[in-house]
Amino acid sequence: ALMVLLVASGYRVLTRRRDSTPAPRGAVVPVAIVTVLAVLLSGGVLLRNREYASRLTMAQSIVDRWPSGRGHFLLASELFDQGRQDEALKQFEESAKTYPGALFALGTEYVAKGDYQNGVDALLGFIQAQPEHPVVIPAREMLASVYLTGGRLDLAEAQLRLLLACLVLAVGAGLLYQLVVRPADVYSLSEGVP
């Protein structure tokens, strides 16, 4: 809209000069002000468009302007999606300082890198900070897997028992009973289902 105004004002000034009708003395100043404002605003739009060029540049802009745990989490996620795991890990670490939701991603990354102790610490921190979060279920599953891999059967069993309790709460006792205790009955009911 401002560019249209700029073009219209410029056209008006040029046609007045062509017709050799002198523009009123006070008319040149507002046209100059509008022109300068339009140029400045269009420069701002160009800069903003550069920031919006990709999700990664947007996430980086958010962290640069308003650093927060969620902002660092967003940047870490974008870095991870681009295969830049080491940079993503640093951003997840920064995010986890103030955003407990990042602890699950951080724990997952640590475990994937083979840093099991830090992975376990982050996953346990996530569960402690957000015990009702739905991602507690995969967090406990991952903990059990890490403990099994490390030969800590007692800790793996404890996580699997807690996982089962989470599933009972999430799915409902009746359905879980059918799936775990009487799976043959559930299977026979589903035989006719494609």
Side-chain angles (χ1 to χ4, degrees), residues 50-187:
R50 191 175 327 148
E51 288 179 352
Y52 295 167
S54 73
R55 293 170 54 123
L56 178 61
T57 57
M58 284 177 60
Q60 185 63 59
S61 295
I62 289 169
V63 168
D64 291 344
R65 289 193 182 126
W66 307 285
S68 68
R70 287 181 185 256
H72 285 284
F73 183 81
L74 177 63
L75 180 57
S77 299
E78 293 304 320
L79 289 166
F80 181 81
D81 287 347
Q82 291 195 3
R84 296 162 62 179
Q85 276 75 17
D86 290 338
E87 293 172 83
L89 185 63
K90 290 177 185 171
Q91 291 298 320
F92 280 133
E93 288 169 345
E94 188 63 33
S95 176
K97 292 176 184 176
T98 58
Y99 177 54
L103 289 168
F104 177 76
L106 184 61
T108 302
E109 280 302 296
Y110 280 138
V111 169
K113 289 181 74 99
D115 186 353
Y116 297 117
Q117 188 56 55
N118 281 330
V120 166
D121 291 344
L123 291 169
L124 289 173
F126 170 75
I127 293 169
Q128 183 179 6
Q130 297 187 319
E132 302 297 320
H133 196 285
V135 181
V136 165
I137 293 171
R140 290 208 182 278
E141 185 178 10
M142 192 176 306
L143 283 168
S145 177
V146 168
Y147 290 142
L148 282 171
T149 302
R152 296 296 314 264
L153 300 180
D154 56 331
L155 295 175
E157 180 186 6
Q159 286 302 317
L160 290 171
R161 288 183 183 279
L162 292 167
L163 175 62
L164 185 59
C166 288
L167 289 172
V168 167
L169 293 174
V171 176
L175 181 59
L176 190 63
Y177 173 77
Q178 289 177 350
L179 293 174
V180 175
V181 178
R182 301 184 64 185
D185 293 345
V186 173
Y187 178 75

Side-chain angles (χ1 to χ4, degrees), residues 31-42:
V31 170
I33 291 172
V34 168
T35 303
V36 168
L37 284 174
V39 169
L40 290 174
L41 290 173
S42 64

